[in-house]
Amino acid sequence: MSFWNNLFKFGSQNMAIDLGTANTLVYVQDQGIILNEPSVVAIETINGIKRVKAVGDDAKMMMGKTPDTIEAIRPLRDGVIADIEIAEEMIKHFIRKVHGKRNLFRYPEIVICVPSGSTSVEKRAIRDAASNAGASEVHLILEPMAAAIGADMPVTEPVGSMVVDIGGGTTEVAVLSLRGLAYTTSVRTGGDKMDEAIVSYVRRHHNLLIGDATAERIKKDYGIAMVPEDGAGESITLKGRDLVNGVPKEITINQAHVAEALSEPIGAIVEGVRIALENTAPELAADIVDQGIVLTGGGALIRRLDEHLREETGLPVSIAEDPLTCVAIGTGRAMEDPIYRGVLMTA
């Protein structure tokens, strides 16, 4: 059996996949990140038969704009697989895109990262999806560990370091030392909850209904964790549907309103960091005072979030060099580098 496995593996390219709620990144051995697309699948139903119409960037453009026969689905919610069949199709599509048609019979080894709060059932679902998509072997790595490796933190040394990875579905807060997680907590708050908070704020205060794509654009372009120093900040023009008259309408808000809208999800992240610090062993806590907290993930790009965390915890806070790709790079390094190989798990 191993002969056939080795034959299928010959010429295949091992992959590390950051299967995120918002985006999926694929890292190929010896090549780096070669794919970064939204975790969205568009399903078309014709005569009761479902088929995949688009995946990734093409499917994301359809969100909120589809006719009845097409549905744009995000197969991951809160960092874990919510729809296993569609997740399988998505992983298959990305593997094909990376490998090309000529390598369809060559089975790669795949390393996938999972949130630290995943149950064994959720981990098994991710492993099964990758196996069914054509992986010869599937290894898992915990997301905060991958983020720390990608951010060049000293995870193999007997030094305590803290990482806060703010993803689309979850925020992973972890204290790491000696290739392990000394303490970890997974807060089910991330970029999606921030989008929802902006939608509900605009609805509550302005009777205007905006879509998720508009909320995401506001978060990316104008998101801020603290009220701007001038009390208002930049002005933002929004278009949506007036809930009173039912017609399209345009309004103007400012960054102070966005900060107010984001206060609840950001407060939940700060609370998660506080709980982690309270549960950290004294020797590791002493190291964190020196090392500080490192922010990774898309949420780390929210303006003045590092400043806000610094004020709330009294600790030095820094943002990783490339927060969006930290987890994918860390997952790839764990696959390639024997030093980090010990952090991988089998589901």
Side-chain angles (χ1 to χ4, degrees), residues 144 162 173-176 180-185 272 275-277 279-281 284:
M162 188 177 210
V173 185
V175 178
L176 308 105
L181 299 177
Y183 179 82
T184 179
T185 180
I275 290 166
L277 291 168
N279 288 281
T280 301
L284 293 171

Side-chain angles (χ1 to χ4, degrees), residues 57 102 132 290 343:
D57 288 323
R102 67 186 189 285
N132 297 341
D290 298 332
V343 304

Side-chain angles (χ1 to χ4, degrees), residues 12-18 25-32 34-35 91-100 103 106-113 130 133-139 328 331-336 341 344:
S12 69
Q13 297 163 301
N14 294 339
M15 294 180 198
I17 301 177
D18 171 12
L25 287 82
V26 178
Y27 180 108
V28 172
Q29 193 165 352
D30 302 324
Q31 291 183 44
I34 63 170
L35 185 137
I91 295 169
K92 270 183 200 164
H93 172 86
F94 290 144
I95 289 176
R96 277 197 208 106
K97 198 162 180 177
V98 167
H99 261 201
N103 281 330
R106 292 174 179 170
Y107 291 64
E109 266 185 62
I110 292 182
V111 180
I112 298 185
C113 62
S136 61
E137 277 182 64
V138 182
H139 297 284
T331 309
R333 277 190 195 160
M335 172 183 69
E336 289 177 341
R341 196 79 185 174
L344 300 180

Side-chain angles (χ1 to χ4, degrees), residues 166-296:
I166 307 165
T170 58
T171 294
E172 307 285 320
V173 185
V175 178
L176 308 105
S177 176
L178 288 168
R179 285 198 201 120
L181 299 177
Y183 179 82
T184 179
T185 180
S186 189
V187 184
R188 296 262 160 139
T189 300
D192 289 351
K193 285 281 191 293
M194 292 180 192
D195 295 346
E196 285 168 24
I198 292 168
V199 170
S200 63
Y201 178 88
V202 173
R203 182 177 191 153
R204 204 167 54 242
H205 291 268
H206 300 278
N207 282 323
L208 187 79
L209 188 62
I210 59 170
D212 291 340
T214 304
E216 188 183 14
R217 182 180 57 79
I218 294 164
K219 176 191 72 185
K220 282 182 175 174
D221 296 346
Y222 303 99
I224 192 164
M226 299 165 78
V227 174
E229 284 159 11
D230 64 356
E234 294 177 56
S235 293
I236 308 148
T237 302
L238 290 180
K239 298 181 184 107
R241 192 176 85 232
D242 189 333
L243 289 166
V244 178
N245 303 320
V247 295
K249 180 176 134 183
E250 185 175 282
I251 62 160
T252 302
I253 61 170
N254 59 40
Q255 275 186 302
H257 298 137
V258 178
E260 192 183 330
L262 294 177
S263 61
E264 197 177 318
I266 285 172
I269 292 167
V270 171
E271 190 55 34
V273 173
R274 276 218 189 96
I275 290 166
L277 291 168
E278 281 170 18
N279 288 281
T280 301
E283 291 298 330
L284 293 171
D287 288 339
I288 293 167
V289 172
D290 298 332
Q291 302 275 332
I293 300 169
V294 177
L295 300 181
T296 67

